[in-house]
């Protein structure tokens, strides 16, 4: 496997193959492997070709977000206890829609087995982080419309230099 700083200026396929090998050989330590990339993610992103950036966003963005986020051990204990006590159920699904009903919140879910509706929730959280897709982000959409920044070249984020200065249409 490549040392973390060796992921810079590599093709996405090379990076992914190396990560897969590293994770397979250290299955119990995968979170340390992902953690080792944290300080380098911006440099790796900037070193990717436009094609590889697009592929990363389309194919691996959700997977990356799932693996890079983690919670503290005391939170894990509370989550485990809530699951064991029947107070919390985790479901792998995409939420197609949510609506308030007399019985609580109803969610229309898309799972690998099809569609289902889950009812009676007191709370529902969208835990996917910031939506960086410019068309879905009112702030980024407004900044681009006013010419205060240029789009990144794909549908995510804005263009910035290595020192994080934003490229603009106006002088």
């Amino acid at each position: 496997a490549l040392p973390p700083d060796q992921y810079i200026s590599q093709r996405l396929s090379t990076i992914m193959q190396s990560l897969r090998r590293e994770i397979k050989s250290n299955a119990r330590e995968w979170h340390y492997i992902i953690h080792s990339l944290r300080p380098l993610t911006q440099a790796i992103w900037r070193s990717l070709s436009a094609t590889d950036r697009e592929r990363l966003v389309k194919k691996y963005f959700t997977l990356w977000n799932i693996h890079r986020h983690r919670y503290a051990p005391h939170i894990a204990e509370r989550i485990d206890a809530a699951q064991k006590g029947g107070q919390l159920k985790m479901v792998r699904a995409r939420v197609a829609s949510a609506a308030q009903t007399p019985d609580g919140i109803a969610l229309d879910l898309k799972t690998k087995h099809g569609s289902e509706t889950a009812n009676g929730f007191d709370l529902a959280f969208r835990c996917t982080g910031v939506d960086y897709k410019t068309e879905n982000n009112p702030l980024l959409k407004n900044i681009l419309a006013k010419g205060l920044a240029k789009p990144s070249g794909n549908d995510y984020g804005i263009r910035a230099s290595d020192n994080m200065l934003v490229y603009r249409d106006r002088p």
Side-chain angles (χ1 to χ4, degrees):
L2 295 169
D5 62 343
Q6 295 299 306
Y7 288 110
I8 299 169
S9 299
Q10 296 291 326
R11 291 181 41 150
L12 180 61
S13 59
T14 302
I15 293 169
M16 296 309 295
Q17 287 168 0
S18 182
L19 282 173
R20 283 185 191 110
R21 277 193 306 273
E22 179 93 13
I23 288 169
K24 271 187 178 179
S25 67
N26 299 294
R28 293 188 49 176
E29 306 298 327
W30 67 265
H31 50 286
Y32 294 112
I33 295 164
I34 299 299
H35 181 72
S36 73
L37 296 176
R38 282 178 176 268
L40 303 168
T41 55
Q42 289 298 316
I44 293 169
W45 174 259
R46 287 191 307 267
S47 75
L48 291 173
S49 69
T51 302
D52 275 351
R53 285 182 188 180
E54 189 71 24
R55 188 175 299 123
L56 178 67
V57 168
K58 286 185 176 177
K59 190 171 181 180
Y60 298 109
F61 193 67
T62 299
L63 189 63
W64 169 253
N65 276 331
I66 289 168
H67 287 84
R68 76 182 177 105
H69 294 295
R70 59 190 184 279
Y71 41 77
H74 71 280
I75 300 296
E77 290 171 10
R78 291 181 68 187
I79 289 172
D80 289 344
Q83 284 181 295
K84 288 176 186 167
Q87 300 160 304
L88 175 66
K89 179 181 176 185
M90 290 193 195
V91 177
R92 184 178 182 173
R94 294 195 185 274
V95 177
S97 66
Q100 183 68 51
T101 70
D103 297 325
I105 299 169
L107 302 174
D108 289 323
L109 304 174
K110 303 287 183 200
T111 69
K112 66 180 180 180
H113 303 293
S115 299
E116 64 181 79
T117 300
N119 291 301
F121 294 101
D122 296 326
L123 298 168
F125 297 94
R126 181 177 181 263
C127 301
T128 57
V130 175
D131 188 347
Y132 291 103
K133 196 164 190 177
T134 51
E135 69 184 42
N136 299 334
N137 187 309
L139 176 61
L140 291 178
K141 202 172 178 178
N142 191 26
I143 288 171
L144 292 169
K146 290 184 177 183
L148 299 173
K150 289 184 177 183
S152 65
N154 56 33
D155 294 334
Y156 293 85
I158 56 177
R159 285 188 62 213
S161 65
D162 287 346
N163 61 356
M164 300 303 158
L165 293 176
V166 176
Y167 291 101
R168 303 186 307 189
D169 286 335
R170 296 181 187 167

